[in-house]
Amino acid sequence: MKIKIFVYVVLFLFPFSGITQKKELTIKEIRNIAEQVSIDEAIKKANTYIKTHKNEPSGYSLLAELYIEKGGFEYFKKAEVYLDRALRINPRFIDGLVNFGRLKILTKDYALAERFLKRALRLDPNNINAYKGMMELYQKERNPRVLEQLKMYLERGKLSADSSADIQLMLTRAMIKNGELDKAEKTLVNLKKKFPENPVVNLLLSDLYFEQDNFSEFSKYYLNGLENLKDKNELERRFLDMYEIMSDNEITEYKRLPLEKKGAYLVQFWKSVDVNGATEENERLIEHFKRLKIAKTIYRSPIPPYYDDRGRVYIKWGPPDSRYLKPMGTILGNELSRPTESWSYESINKNLVFDFVEKGGIYKEVRDLSEAIVGGGIITSAVMPDGSPNPNLLKLATLYSERSNLSSLHNRLGNVTDWEVFFNDIQESNIIKETAKKEVPPSVSKYEFPFSPMNIAVSCAQFKGENGKTKIELYYAIFPEEQFFEDDTGTEIIGSLDNTFVIRDSLLNIIQKVDDKSEIRLKKGMDLKNVTANYQRNFLTSPGKHTFWIQVKSKRAHKGGIIKIEKNLRDFNTNRLMVSDIEFSEKIERADKPDVNVKNGLRISPYPFGEVYKDKPINIYYEIYNLRYDKNGNTNFQIEQTIKPMKENKTIVERGIKKIGDLLKGGQQEAITSIYRRTGNSINDFEYVILDVSKITNGKKTLSIKVTDLISGKSVETSKDFIVK
């Protein structure tokens, strides 16, 4: 009988013990619930955990951690109760001490927070969470003693680089901010050796190099770090540094991207706004961070983003053309206005002007200066009920009158002749200013190049290259000036130019870069007024979208020029009938030796200009590919050459007036077409002819070349725009 009862009890209890075991969760699993489900669900599980683990401090510390995460006074009080229980069970429990330190930071009891965290570090000098707590304490309290203690641990080697990279990065960030650049550099160089691909290491190196005015290294490390950045907090920090100059569409697009693509998107943004792609430095990026530093230093605010509205405007559009400052306010009758500033950017847009009023210790952008009137407000009418002028409108007129020379918009408002008109002008000016802000992009560069501008004429043409590549020929001309040349006692004067050619792919990465020199040799005593020096540079690259940058400098004259060409290179590696671009040339002659401007035994002197003159015929050259043979092994093709007006968006009346004008010019033709046939013995051929425009009307024209293969019946066409003068 006893045996039966025993079996019954065991069988009855066994299923329940199985259920209990199935529901048992570990501390790690509860933390996962907090991250993946919700904190409230994790709190329920943690309460269940401490019921079955009453003598384990880890459950109480976990519950406190979850309440800290929820935030708020009520939950902080609950967290403190559970941390007390955890430390009563084990006063040396590290997680409890660290969580108590974090709680005291949040409740701003910094002295007690430091005591808890330092006790945790004494017990476990390698505890990463304790160091993170100390960094949080420093960031909140800005107590230099706390930072020194952390650096002491670092210097004594109590932190190993492998286990505490995050802590060292937090420390170096603080060092850079405090100007301790040598110490920060030493730490970062060591971290770079151990973690060469760590994006945050590269970004902090870029911050360091920026502070050292090493802008080429800053640009390189910043873009490298940003490219592969996937740390959510660091991405947010870097995004907030630049979002002021991004368009609304760009910001929306960035926010929609998954975390792993955000960094690359920001890199592409910086590459797209670069003002000189001929250098590896990103000048627009450098300029932006210089503006950002000024905004946070001169126009600072105690709250994020740590600059006021003046800083925001400065970041977007740089230093204003002119300012009007009234830091002590303006006397308005028996009152003093709030401090004001007004900025003008008339060189960008005549209506891009801003008014700022000091409120609560920082300057805020205002629609109009009525907000500077103490006790005033929005002015809703020009006159009072008794017909007299609104006194606040009179005060407002004074504010605009004193800055009437700042901009055309302020001038209009500063010259009052009629109060009703003035009131209406104020309303209208608000609309005008808002429209100007929308018209001007928020990434306007005011980068000052380190040389005076030099005039450069540039054109290009693409041909079939070797090994499936496309050959792109860049033609450029400069206009020599006397200061380009060295003093020379011979029959020539000689000048030297420094050239840089950069090709970037569709992602704006540099795929080719060439630095070279070229000479200008002219006869002594020549009149330089109508002289140009023409040059050519050839590149082989893959088909697709490319950006070409040309930078030419004369060090002697301290002058230079930069040209950007965006080109979609065609794929000539096909069996289809194709024709190259049309090249204009000053002179075409036979050539025995290979040279940069020799093709098919012809030396083709480049003509990079877009204008063709009636009294000076121009040569044209182009190539034809993949013609078909007839049964006798010969090619047979037709060329139709047409010069016609360039297509422009004109009304019927405008086209009619133009046609009448052309007829009155007497005999000059609107368009010329020539058709001729060719035969040959090669599937690839070339053409060069003299283009006579003496009978063509002046203006914008298009030269069209249509090639028809009379064997296959296929046709292909190419064209080039130019101006007849």
Side-chain angles (χ1 to χ4, degrees), residues 582-589 602 604 612-622 639 641-643 672-674 676 678 686-696 703 705 722:
I582 301 168
E583 177 186 356
F584 279 4
S585 172
E586 279 187 316
K587 184 180 181 182
I588 298 178
E589 58 187 352
L602 299 172
I604 304 163
V612 174
Y613 296 89
K614 290 184 176 183
D615 60 349
K616 188 179 179 183
I618 198 77
N619 298 278
I620 65 169
Y621 173 91
Y622 55 92
I639 295 173
Q641 176 182 297
T642 304
I643 301 174
I672 292 179
T673 298
S674 303
Y676 43 94
R678 294 282 190 266
F686 60 92
E687 282 289 317
Y688 64 100
V689 296
I690 295 175
L691 190 69
D692 183 4
V693 296
S694 59
K695 294 183 179 180
I696 300 292
L703 169 63
I705 303 290
F722 63 102

Side-chain angles (χ1 to χ4, degrees), residues 196-232:
E197 302 304 320
N198 186 306
V200 181
V201 172
N202 285 325
L203 285 167
L204 286 181
L205 274 168
S206 77
D207 294 341
L208 173 75
Y209 290 131
F210 181 83
E211 293 301 323
Q212 293 176 336
D213 293 340
N214 187 347
F215 297 124
S216 60
E217 291 296 288
F218 156 72
S219 183
K220 179 178 75 175
Y221 279 100
Y222 186 88
L223 295 176
N224 285 347
L226 205 56
E227 184 80 47
N228 300 308
L229 184 61
K230 296 176 179 63
D231 180 279
K232 184 178 179 181

Side-chain angles (χ1 to χ4, degrees), residues 48-61:
T48 302
Y49 183 90
I50 61 175
K51 287 176 184 176
T52 55
H53 301 81
K54 292 181 180 179
N55 296 320
E56 290 184 16
S58 56
Y60 298 106
S61 180

Side-chain angles (χ1 to χ4, degrees), residues 5 107 182 185 266 289 419 501 641 678 715:
I5 292 171
T107 56
D182 291 341
E185 186 170 18
L266 297 182
F289 273 87
W419 293 111
F501 305 89
Q641 176 182 297
R678 294 282 190 266
S715 294

Side-chain angles (χ1 to χ4, degrees), residues 3 58 258 284 288 301-302 330 356 369 387 418 462 489 518 529 571 697 722:
I3 293 171
S58 56
R284 184 65 185 90
H288 174 77
S301 167
T330 299
F356 307 99
L369 289 167
D418 181 284
Q462 48 184 313
T489 56
S518 53
K529 195 174 292 182
D571 186 358
T697 56
F722 63 102

